[in-house]
């Protein structure tokens, strides 16, 4: 039963990652990031509103889904890791809480992509703060899960 739950968790992480990567190659993203200043970025958002909503919305949706998958994974392995030692259980709990930063940052990006005015889209610092927290949180989650997997039973390649 637990193996099927873990497989489901990994499928959710994979689905979120695929959705995220679908949003990356949209030409509007290179137009947006290639703009020289905020006025040009606002013009890109204003002129290509649908494409911006799709590309950046996919980035946000994928991030939120992958973060949810990481949270689900930590929820499903916490008892297994806690049985191996209280520090391991605590580490998984910390990873679980940190994975929720990805969910929050993804939802913020999705809502910004769908609902924000072009000026807010370009000038808002909340998105930048959310992305920074997500990057740090996800890095720590992956390090924690990698160390636990490496120090666990074989196969080591999963780490």
């Amino acid at each position: 039963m637990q193996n099927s739950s873990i497989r489901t968790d990994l499928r959710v992480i994979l689905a979120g990652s695929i959705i995220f990567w679908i949003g990356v190659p949209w030409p509007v993203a290179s137009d947006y990031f290639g703009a020289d200043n905020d006025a040009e970025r606002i013009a890109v958002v204003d002129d290509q509103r649908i494409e911006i909503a799709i590309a950046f919305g996919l980035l946000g949706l994928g991030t939120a889904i992958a973060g949810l998958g990481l949270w689900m994974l930590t929820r499903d392995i916490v008892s297994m890791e806690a049985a191996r030692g209280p520090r391991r259980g605590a580490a998984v709990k910390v990873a679980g809480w940190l994975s929720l930063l990805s969910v929050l940052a993804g939802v913020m990006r999705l809502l910004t992509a769908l609902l924000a005015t072009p000026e807010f889209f370009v000038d808002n610092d909340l998105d930048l703060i959310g992305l920074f927290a997500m990057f740090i949180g996800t890095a720590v989650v992956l390090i924690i899960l990698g160390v636990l997997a490496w120090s666990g039973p074989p196969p080591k390649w999963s780490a």
Side-chain angles (χ1 to χ4, degrees), residues 18 38 145:
I18 290 170
D38 284 351
L145 293 178

Side-chain angles (χ1 to χ4, degrees), residues 63-74:
T63 300
I65 291 171
L68 179 64
L70 283 172
W71 176 79
M72 292 166 54
L73 179 64
T74 60

Side-chain angles (χ1 to χ4, degrees), residues 16-26 58-59 62:
S17 299
I18 290 170
I19 291 168
F20 176 89
W21 284 106
I22 290 171
V24 170
W26 282 67
L58 287 170
L59 295 174

Side-chain angles (χ1 to χ4, degrees), residues 40-119:
E40 288 181 14
R41 279 189 273 289
I42 289 170
V44 168
V45 173
D46 200 30
D47 293 342
Q48 302 178 51
R49 190 67 181 124
I50 301 291
E51 292 87 355
I52 287 282
I54 292 170
F56 285 84
L58 287 170
L59 295 174
L61 181 63
T63 300
I65 291 171
L68 179 64
L70 283 172
W71 176 79
M72 292 166 54
L73 179 64
T74 60
R75 184 197 63 199
D76 286 338
I77 66 170
V78 69
S79 60
M80 183 173 39
E81 292 296 338
R84 295 186 67 217
R87 286 186 183 172
R88 294 177 73 88
V92 173
K93 288 178 184 176
V94 168
W97 283 106
L98 288 174
S99 67
L100 293 176
L101 289 173
S102 292
V103 176
L104 180 62
V107 169
M108 286 172 40
R109 170 58 62 109
L110 178 62
L111 291 176
T112 300
L114 297 177
L115 304 174
T117 64
E119 293 78 12

